[in-house]
Amino acid sequence: MTHSARRMFELLEPICLVTYLADECNEELAALGHRTYWDGYFASRAAPLGRVPAQVVHAAFYSFADGEVARHIPSAWETIPPEASVAARERGSAASLRRILGDELADSPGLVRAADLTTKAATYAPTEGRMMYAGMRTLPVPGDPVARLWHSATMLREHRCDGHVAALVGACIGGTEAHVLDALARGIHPPESFGRLHHLPKERLAPVMDGLRERGLVDADGRFTDAGRETKQRVEALTDELAVPPYDALSPAELDELVSELEPITATLVAAGSR
């Protein structure tokens, strides 16, 4: 089942990425009054948690550097209710999916079936210890199949993200350290040039790299050691294992059917870069 969880991640991630890469969601959030992309990102993704302080959002998201969340939360909610940001995110994401997929695929029986099976899995898993997933579970599931597919894929993404955070904490890998290991796993060198790191001041990144060297996870040149590569692989394997529970809701035949129905949807999105 860990193989199935990884395969489902590969199939569902391009559906979720339209929220962050396509124009429609950002336009919907800007129309509400969010001043920047990051105002909309933090406000709409954290909104299912309610009006929690920046410290809680920072803990739940895990991978952002100290102070990054506080630049946007709670100020992004001062004039825009969280509920409005959630609705705008759903509208924009569904609109981008429909545009990219085209009417033939978006209105197909296969997409409806994929949405139904994804929702069956996404509404099945226990919520204990899954902060972001639990927040998503409090939201109504959309009736429109395209919106429902996006919503349920995003629930499963947050479930997986919660498990990934648990795996990182268990391995004593901090949020910024996780980005370094992710960069190296992607073949990016120096890792400080990675898009999720390059904006951070050198004085903030240097202690992170020094700490990874002291622990033997990266070498003097900032590349993986054997121990670092093994640690990254162990975290990913545990993330896959922790992502299994939702799919216990599906029979083997249903899981095979879901994979089959998602493949043309995902292929279309990948070809478009989820944009």
Side-chain angles (χ1 to χ4, degrees), residues 138-149:
T138 68
L139 303 178
V141 176
D144 171 69
V146 173
R148 184 164 70 250
L149 178 61

Side-chain angles (χ1 to χ4, degrees), residues 8-156:
M8 289 305 304
F9 168 68
E10 294 167 350
L11 288 168
L12 294 173
E13 183 71 354
I15 295 171
C16 303
L17 287 180
V18 299
T19 303
Y20 311 109
L21 300 178
D23 291 335
E24 286 88 343
C25 186
N26 197 44
E27 290 169 355
E28 287 279 358
L29 291 167
L32 286 181
H34 289 301
R35 299 164 299 171
T36 68
Y37 171 89
W38 289 109
D39 274 355
Y41 169 86
F42 283 106
S44 63
R45 186 180 171 209
L49 300 177
R51 292 179 181 270
V52 295
Q55 295 93 325
V56 175
V57 178
H58 176 77
F61 287 13
Y62 193 72
S63 59
F64 287 90
D66 289 345
E68 288 191 303
V69 175
R71 287 200 288 271
H72 308 278
I73 299 294
S75 62
W77 291 333
E78 287 176 355
T79 58
I80 304 167
E83 296 80 6
S85 294
V86 166
R89 182 171 76 147
E90 180 186 304
R91 285 195 306 272
S93 299
S96 59
L97 276 180
R98 181 169 286 280
R99 170 181 56 80
I100 296 167
L101 296 177
D103 290 342
E104 183 175 354
L105 191 51
D107 294 330
S108 67
L111 184 138
V112 175
R113 183 60 173 159
D116 290 344
L117 289 173
T118 303
T119 302
K120 183 176 180 179
T123 55
Y124 174 80
T127 57
E128 288 82 0
R130 309 275 185 167
M131 185 186 303
M132 292 300 300
Y133 173 64
M136 285 290 298
R137 283 283 297 272
T138 68
L139 303 178
V141 176
D144 171 69
V146 173
R148 184 164 70 250
L149 178 61
W150 170 82
H151 177 88
S152 296
T154 300
M155 275 200 284
L156 290 168

Side-chain angles (χ1 to χ4, degrees), residues 164-188:
H164 188 56
V165 168
L168 290 169
V169 171
C172 298
I173 301 296
T176 306
E177 290 177 329
H179 284 326
V180 173
L181 300 189
D182 193 26
L184 293 175
R186 294 168 183 250
I188 298 172

Side-chain angles (χ1 to χ4, degrees), residues 199-258:
H199 64 289
L200 297 177
K202 291 182 179 179
E203 57 270 22
R204 180 170 289 182
L205 280 174
V208 173
M209 296 301 298
D210 289 344
L212 290 170
R213 290 189 183 96
E214 290 169 6
R215 294 168 60 188
L217 301 181
V218 301
D219 62 19
D221 192 36
R223 299 182 185 274
F224 264 142
T225 62
D226 289 343
R229 186 174 291 103
E230 191 276 332
T231 296
K232 174 63 172 171
Q233 292 170 346
R234 189 170 68 249
V235 166
E236 292 302 318
L238 182 53
T239 299
D240 287 339
E241 182 179 344
L242 293 174
V244 166
Y247 304 107
D248 290 339
L250 305 179
S251 69
E254 286 177 323
L255 189 56
D256 288 345
E257 184 183 7
L258 178 55

